Amino acid sequence: MTEQKIDTDLYSRQIGTFGMETMGKLIQMKVLISGLRGLGVETAKNLILAGPAAVILHDDAVAEMRDLGANFYITEQDVGKRTRAQACLEQLSQLNQYVNVSVHSGPITEELLAGLSVAVFTETSQADLLRLNEACRTRSPPVGFIAADCFGLASSVFVDYGDAFTCRDKDGEEPRSAIVAGVTQESPGTVHTHEGKRHGFQDGDWVIFREVQGMTQLNDAKPRQIKVTGPFSFTIEDTSAYSAYVCEGIVSQTKVPEKVKFNSYRSSLVMPKHEGEEMHVPDLAKFGRSEQLHFAIQAVLAYREKAGQLPAARDSAAADDCVNLAKELNEARKKEGDTALSVEEVEEDVVRKVAMFSRCMISPMAAFLGGVVAQEVVKFTGKYTPLHQFLYFDMFELCPAADPSDCKPLGTRYDDQIAIFGAAKQKAIADMKLFLVGAGALGCEFLKSFAMMGASCGSSGKVTVTDMDRIEPSNLNRQFLFRQSDMKQPKSLVAARVAKGMNQGLNVHATEVRVGTDTENVFDDAFWDSLDCVVNALDNIQARMYVDSQCVWFGKPLLESGTLGTKANVQVILPKLTQSYGDSQDPPEESIPLCTLKHFPHAIEHTIEWARDAFEQLFVEGPREGNNFLTDATAYLAKLPTEGTGTSQLARLNSIKKMLEQRGAGAFEACVEYAVLEFQDKFYDSICQLLHTFPLDHVTSDGTKFWSGPKRPPAPIKFDANDETHLDFVVAAANLYAANLGMPENRDKAAIARMAAAVKLTEFQPKDMKIKVDDKDTTREGCMDDDAAVRQMIATMSELSKSYQTAKPLEPAEFEKDDDNNFHVAFIAATANLRARNYKIPEADFHKVKMTAGKIIPAIATTTAMVTGLVSAELLKLATMDTRKVEDFKNGFVNLALPLWLLSEPLPPLKTTSKEHDPIIMGPVRAKPDGFTTWDKVDVKLIDGTLKQFVDYLMDEVGIEVMIMSAGNACLYNAYLPAHKKRLNEKVTKIWEDVTKQQLSPKRSYLCIEVSASDPDDGVDVMIPSVKFQFRETPAPAPPVSVEAASDQTSACCHG
């Protein structure tokens, strides 16, 4: 298959993670998945969404009722009638039209394996795994082999890709580049990079050099392995015989393929780790657990070989047998010496927990492992580092402290969970009141998980899900509840409907209401008070911060998670026990200095950002300016001289004049002429002007070369209608300009090329221009002659304005990144690459430009499924919170590319303490109470209370004198202002309404008030927690609304 056959609309976010080369390999893969309980169907779902050529399902076991607790495509009608594979086939086939999904029945033969890329085995006996692994290894080339098992709260994954697997890209990270500042002539040679930015390289990285002057031996494009010696230096080979370094040079990371040797399943059972490697430690609190699980899971598999089946749930005798088998196995390994893994002593409790629940399949573990396994399949393309070779993982924190008495099977879909938690805890899960914020990729997975676990499926349970977005084509690659027929439908309503189809007991209410301060009349105090937990499935920090602040205010647990390509994080936020999301934030994104963008780019990201700005200025702001002029020419022309430089003002006026003159012309040739003239201005004239102002031999006041370091000398480009990129620019710019003017498009490239070649271009005439050399430069940019030209142009436009009074408005563009046929990204791609050509920067492909300009977050189904499995396990812990301690909960960071799992206990909340000297106040500060956190509140209940009553209450009950009180950005009282004294007798609510000029919602019963205060005894400044001021009795929460009725309420909320 070729690159052209890849549906870039569907796979855009995935291509942003994997790249086109990997996608080209992935769409040719054929994969077998054997075993279709929860783990198998999760793996199949994630893999089919990723888009291999074919997926073969294999599971001849007839569906059981308990399968419905983790397999979301088996229905009650399938139980006892259809095999698991047949029951899942139709729904799995609908996930991706490009994947051939079929069922294989009967034994797995060598003939079946022969045509495969990778075979995944779950629910498979030890004897069969040994046989099938050998069969996969003996193929030429080898068939990738993955064995995975979910044994209730414990799991394992084993990967074997043969003796000589090639990994092309170990981490999937974008290669970093740095500007060379110097290279020494010694052994080893030391490379110094420009101190404006750390190089970001790591020991063992491979790099290539280009454009080095003097030491030209480095420009041979040969990858060199480096050793980092500092943030701005590293060493390479012996450079003592090389020519002396003079100046310039770019050094970039490069991906060097590596050979990875895998051991067979048989030998890995004896020694599961390679020389120089340790076993994965997913949980930092469980060092040594992987080794224990290795023996525990082998013992359970050995029990199945002996007894013909896995141990029954909570079968103590069978668990004892497994303990003995584990001990026997460990003793045998000890006798084999250093060539075998052994442990000092088998931990019986670990073996028992594996054995007792080995028949159970719970959704959180299945989702977690299904994401991991599917990603390992994708790695067969050579992208990312494969698991080498075992992963062991457990969720033993979910085990009840004492064995429940009500854990007998009830013949329901929840029997596997009941076996672990008991029926009473299952009811607690069912009665949870949840708020799911977001119904995109994470949201779809969470709704599926709720349905499988039975969360919010009881008579008192309810999950409210909200999302403002509509379904788009790119969503179908990750948001598995949606189909092609759902395009443009509300995400929340469709997701809720499909999830309810997976479990009719799910009580779900879907809305399209945005969560924020402006919708607190919908998600009101009573709503937040009624919740047991909030689950975020958001993709922006602002919304996360708001939801977090509400959870802190109302004292509700919050489960926070997010993904970025192969990376994911989980944060558990528990009232009074852990930090909130707002207690720690990621560092802000690096911004590109304005001067770098305008005049001195040295990376493709700089030219893409410049091109995105050009799109905005030409096709969005330009037409808007024209419409502002048409609306009120006098006011527009009066305001113009106060905005920007004369040069920018003149450009705006010329743009408006040209647009309005050509509006009625109707000839596409005028649009092509406009595009060619823009080309001439951007890629020839402006570069010539820059070189006129700063010639190539220009030196700074301190004698150094101006064009050095990050300042790359540009070269002008003359328009050539036969150059494909030149023509791409003209085609896109002409059509976008035509759309602004309300003219029909023209996609005939040959005709446009002829029109463009006929455009007459004038010779460049240099001007006396002022240009800033960096962002600290205070020079006023522009041409001095333009100020006089602006005054003349304003007079001209004032006269012409009368003739434009009947003109139709111009049509500004609205940037849309996901439509590859609208010329938006096409213009930006051509513009970015032409500017890169000006500055001799390597050009970017269309998809790279699309991802960067559209600020598209790379996303894949595997990471999403994996992280929701982790979060769902935390939700189960919350349902049994009465028996929990904070150590049971797990924050997590995962990078499936490496692969890396890091789980750890949530951090305690940050404390506010008294200080002898505060650097801001320049004196002592007292905290009341000392050590309070953001979770603490000062509760003040004064129904219809006045400001004086509020101030007196804090004096009497807290012992502080209120100096300033505010609510949000509104200052309600300042004791230092005499005019505020008259507010003392007014109601606090009236003061709030007067200051904010808003009406308090009748559904609102609290105000969050911040107080600056002092100690009345000694005048020391005092810090207190936020004040929760209750001014009316809390109204009762609204009755539950079913998903069928939700759309009516949604439209009322949206339009109310």
Side-chain angles (χ1 to χ4, degrees), residues 637 657 790-801:
L637 294 173
K657 184 172 182 289
V790 168
R791 289 191 290 274
Q792 184 177 342
M793 190 66 167
I794 287 176
T796 303
M797 293 295 287
S798 181
E799 284 297 315
L800 290 173
S801 64

Side-chain angles (χ1 to χ4, degrees), residues 14 105 121 146 360 371 468 630 648 653 657 670 680 685 727 733 890 1018 1020 1056:
Q14 183 170 292
S105 300
F121 299 98
I146 298 177
C360 301
M468 295 172 62
L630 290 174
S648 66
L653 289 172
K657 184 172 182 289
Q680 177 78 357
D685 288 355
L727 188 58
K890 300 293 177 183
D1018 55 15
V1020 170

Side-chain angles (χ1 to χ4, degrees), residues 483-767:
R483 299 289 179 271
Q484 192 67 42
S485 57
D486 299 320
M487 286 299 103
K488 304 302 179 184
Q489 296 299 307
K491 285 186 177 181
S492 56
L493 296 182
V494 174
R497 170 174 53 78
V498 177
K500 191 173 179 66
M502 293 175 172
N503 183 348
Q504 288 297 319
L506 183 67
N507 298 317
V508 57
H509 166 49
T511 84
E512 293 181 73
V513 183
R514 193 178 79 86
V515 180
T517 54
D518 55 335
T519 57
E520 288 180 358
N521 62 323
V522 178
F523 302 118
D524 55 23
D525 295 349
F527 171 79
W528 287 97
D529 279 331
S530 71
L531 298 174
D532 294 314
C533 178
V534 180
V535 180
N536 266 352
L538 291 161
D539 61 1
N540 70 87
I541 290 176
Q542 184 182 1
R544 284 185 168 113
M545 291 293 288
Y546 174 79
V547 173
D548 176 70
S549 69
Q550 290 294 91
C551 289
V552 170
W553 179 251
F554 289 96
K556 300 298 177 181
L558 171 64
L559 299 179
E560 172 61 59
S561 58
T563 71
L564 180 65
T566 60
K567 302 183 186 79
N569 72 285
V570 178
Q571 185 179 1
V572 181
I573 297 158
L574 303 174
K576 298 186 180 296
L577 297 176
T578 72
Q579 285 187 9
S580 69
Y581 178 80
D583 280 345
S584 61
Q585 292 186 43
D586 293 332
E589 290 184 25
E590 286 186 22
S591 60
I592 304 170
L594 190 58
C595 279
T596 301
L597 277 180
K598 290 181 71 174
H599 306 301
F600 311 116
H602 52 82
I604 192 64
E605 289 77 13
H606 302 161
T607 70
I608 295 172
E609 185 73 20
W610 185 84
R612 178 71 178 83
D613 288 346
F615 174 90
E616 200 71 18
Q617 290 166 13
L618 295 176
F619 309 117
V620 182
E621 292 302 325
R624 282 181 187 163
E625 292 267 330
N627 288 339
N628 291 339
F629 175 81
L630 290 174
T631 301
D632 190 338
T634 304
Y636 180 86
L637 294 173
K639 188 180 179 185
L640 182 73
T642 66
E643 299 175 333
T645 64
T647 303
S648 66
Q649 294 163 13
L650 187 62
R652 288 159 67 183
L653 289 172
N654 280 326
S655 173
I656 292 170
K657 184 172 182 289
K658 187 179 290 186
M659 276 190 168
L660 295 177
E661 285 173 349
Q662 293 176 343
R663 177 76 198 233
F668 196 79
E669 285 83 354
C671 298
V672 174
E673 181 185 28
Y674 165 87
V676 174
L677 293 176
E678 279 297 328
F679 182 104
Q680 177 78 357
D681 175 66
K682 286 180 165 33
F683 309 114
Y684 187 81
D685 288 355
S686 64
I687 300 298
C688 289
Q689 180 62 55
L690 184 61
L691 291 172
H692 172 77
T693 306
F694 301 114
L696 292 176
D697 58 358
H698 185 72
V699 293
T700 64
S701 57
D702 61 5
T704 59
K705 291 178 65 175
F706 180 82
W707 294 108
S708 62
K711 290 187 174 70
R712 298 173 62 79
I717 302 172
K718 284 196 171 182
F719 178 70
D720 179 0
N722 295 313
D723 185 293
E724 187 175 354
T725 307
H726 293 206
L727 188 58
D728 286 344
F729 174 89
V730 171
V731 170
N735 276 284
L736 288 167
Y737 191 60
N740 288 155
L741 301 180
M743 293 166 54
E745 65 181 28
N746 184 337
R747 293 180 180 268
D748 187 340
K749 290 187 75 171
I752 293 173
R754 289 193 296 272
M755 296 179 207
V759 175
K760 302 296 183 190
L761 297 172
T762 58
E763 282 298 315
F764 165 73
Q765 296 295 323
K767 297 179 182 179

Side-chain angles (χ1 to χ4, degrees), residues 846-863:
F846 182 89
H847 204 81
K848 160 81 173 174
V849 175
K850 178 176 178 175
M851 296 294 293
T852 306
K855 299 188 187 310
I856 296 173
I857 299 173
I860 49 177
T862 50
T863 312

Side-chain angles (χ1 to χ4, degrees), residues 774-786:
D774 58 42
D775 281 4
K776 297 174 184 175
D777 192 339
T778 57
T779 300
R780 187 172 184 266
E781 287 197 330
C783 176
M784 297 305 103
D785 297 339
D786 288 342

Side-chain angles (χ1 to χ4, degrees), residues 60-77:
D60 293 333
V62 176
E64 303 174 54
M65 180 59 77
R66 68 192 183 105
D67 291 333
L68 276 65
N71 186 316
F72 37 88
Y73 286 150
I74 293 178
T75 67
E76 292 187 21
Q77 289 70 38

